[in-house]
């Protein structure tokens, strides 16, 4: 009977276990990233230990010491306000935690300062921890303009696709799409955003983009802003959105290599040498002499008259009246006799010169 009861309760136990696992996964997904420091203050040249939890498992993070920043307003000016050369990269473990040492450096702008940690790839996530760089100048933060205050309410994304011209080096372009909300007490009309693109460790290049419309107090709106890179751009880029001196969002963008340009250069390196070779051979064939002479031996070309004389056999002159009336005509047997190679004209037998054979 206990076995039957266990079989009856097994589906309920499995359902309860699955519900608990889903709830734990939901809590882990909803948990915000947290950053803690081993020291709250240190001077240049020192070292601190940065700990983190609540991040995505196996995520690549970048740690920077940034000036002109607070945990409420974030990093004003983006990575231009950070000591980028002394930054450190770290990868979270399977539970989304990390521990990493980093050197203390002075940012290029005055404090208040924070240790800024952000994801490099995948879904964007950031966390800041208050830090004081001993001996570094301190200055108040710039005042917020107007009564409106915009904040990003949803994950940013890049929309669009590359065409065939991009494969041949045309500038890649996308649309940065995000949802912002007005947390201030006054409406925001026709806000002017700054869109920056950064490649590798270089600081972003900012361009102004104005959005036409009004966002009332407590309202939200979806904003689409064009983003364009230079011709032939490829690799990993970071697209940032800034408003009022504060970076609202950052989105990674992986741009493929324009293989059409590579193919063009390969064909150019093959076709141009082949064309030069053909032109050179044509020039050589044009300027070289028609007849070639063997070195050291001069050869004269026989004249046309000499060829005719060599081909025409010599005719024997007909004898005159002093030689007797029985002389053979010029076209008679003497001509045929002269053509024989084994007789000379003086030794050939004739009627006037009988042979001596049989005579004493």
């Amino acid at each position: 009977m206990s076995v039957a009861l266990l079989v009856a309760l097994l589906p309920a136990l499995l359902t309860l276990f699955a519900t608990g696992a889903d709830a734990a996964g939901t809590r882990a997904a909803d948990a915000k990233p947290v950053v803690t420091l081993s020291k709250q203050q240190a001077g240049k040249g020192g070292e601190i230990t940065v700990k983190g939890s609540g991040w995505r498992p196996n995520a690549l993070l970048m740690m920077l010491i940034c000036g002109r920043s607070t945990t409420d307003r974030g990093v004003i000016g983006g990575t231009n306000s950070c000591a980028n050369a002394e930054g450190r990269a770290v990868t979270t473990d399977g539970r989304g935690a990390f521990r990493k040492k980093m050197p203390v450096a002075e940012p290029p702008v005055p404090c208040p300062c924070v240790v800024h940690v952000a994801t490099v790839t995948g879904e964007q996530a950031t966390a800041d921890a208050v830090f004081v760089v001993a001996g570094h100048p301190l200055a108040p933060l710039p005042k917020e303009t107007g009564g409106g205050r915009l904040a990003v309410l949803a994950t940013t994304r890049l929309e669009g696709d590359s065409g065939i011209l991009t494969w041949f080096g045309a500038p890649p372009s996308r649309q940065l799409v995000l949802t912002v909300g007005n947390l201030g007490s006054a409406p925001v009309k026709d806000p002017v955003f700054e869109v920056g693109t950064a490649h590798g460790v270089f600081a972003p290049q900012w361009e102004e983009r104005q959005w036409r419309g009004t966002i009332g107090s407590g309202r939200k709106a979806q904003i689409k802003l064009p983003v364009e890179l230079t011709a032939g751009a490829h690799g990993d880029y970071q697209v940032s959105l800034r408003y009022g001196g504060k970076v609202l969002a950052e989105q990674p963008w992986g741009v493929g290599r324009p293989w059409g340009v590579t193919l063009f250069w390969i064909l150019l390196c093959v076709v141009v040498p082949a064309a030069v070779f053909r032109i050179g051979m044509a020039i050589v064939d044009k300027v070289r002499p028609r007849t070639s002479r063997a070195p050291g031996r001069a050869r004269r070309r026989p004249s046309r008259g000499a060829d005719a004389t060599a081909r025409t056999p010599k005719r024997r002159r007909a004898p005159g009246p002093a030689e007797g009336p029985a002389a053979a005509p010029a076209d008679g047997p003497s001509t045929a006799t002269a053509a024989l190679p084994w007789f000379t004209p003086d030794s050939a037998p004739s009627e006037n010169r009988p042979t001596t054979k049989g005579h004493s």
Side-chain angles (χ1 to χ4, degrees), residues 1 114 222 225 245 313 333:
M1 184 175 180
V114 298
Q222 186 181 64
L225 301 174

Side-chain angles (χ1 to χ4, degrees), residues 308-330:
T309 305
R311 289 193 300 267
T312 305
K314 294 182 178 180
R315 295 185 180 184
R316 185 176 181 182
R317 184 175 58 86
E323 296 178 1

